[in-house]
Amino acid sequence: MADLMSEVIRTVRAGSAYGRLIRQSGSAGLRLPAISGIGVHVVVRGTCWLITEGEEPVALAPGDVVLSSSGGEHGLSHIPQALENLAPVDLKPLPPAAEPAAFEFLTCCYVLERGRAPQYLRALPDLAVLSLDYARHPEVRTLVDLLRADVSGRAMGREATLSALLDLVLVHVLRQWHEQHTDTGWPVAGDPAVAAALRRIHEDPSRQWTVGGLSESVGMSRRTFTRRFTALVGQSPIRYLISWRMDRGARLLQTTEAPLATIAREVGYSTEFAFSEAFRREYGLPPGRFRRDSAAGAVARQPPVSARPYPSTAR
């Protein structure tokens, strides 16, 4: 489980990190877009409501967190109201309002412009609400305070610190989610055999795994293993293996300059052609174009240094 969570954080880190402190008063509220990636909203002060389409508003108090794992459009508001009444949030670098506010929250996320959220995140609820246990984990309060200060200031190197702090906050939030929701969290945590098979796939995706080999490695019959794996993970073992290989390949394309042939071998394909065909089927475009588009998107998100007094991540 721990290795899987680390791999998830490494995967989403390939996206763009955004962070902003927002203060609101009166009937104002903000509508947050659907994203491919993962984000958190941490209530720092006051109370507010989580607004979603077609659902009853959910009351939030200081210390509450909304974990958005590739969730749909939603909003935060000081009063219950319809989602369409809320103004869209602006993720551009904007300072928090100076005047007193009824409630204050941090909103931070990794957005994957290209690619999909990992299967681990897709298995979580689109929007999950939990209360951070500051009494048992006082370090989490320190992290939230550091993140709040980071997105509110203008210190140099904030792009690097935002990603580092967001990583730590996400790990703690995910840990506490699983502690508080052992029955509805990542379901394979309660099945040692399926969890062991997943670890083998994650740790060695280049190995030529078969369903028979995976089932034998965890001491189960092929039929029983396939049934239990599919029921818990939502995909057959081979479908999950292919998806994991492609997700890892996408991350390598985004974060390294390794040749396609090297990446192909890293994720279990003997030739560049075989990897390219599998990647095209999964992502809808060839890996070379995926890499170029990802690089172009990263450049486009960065304004010229002379035009910005601080990094492009939102405040």
Side-chain angles (χ1 to χ4, degrees), residues 4 10 238 313:
L4 175 57
R10 284 193 292 269
I238 294 304
T313 48

Side-chain angles (χ1 to χ4, degrees), residues 37 39 66-74 121-129:
V66 179
L67 173 65
S68 174
S69 54
S70 291
E73 191 176 43
H74 56 283
L121 297 181
R122 298 199 295 272
L124 294 174
D126 289 345
L127 294 169
V129 178

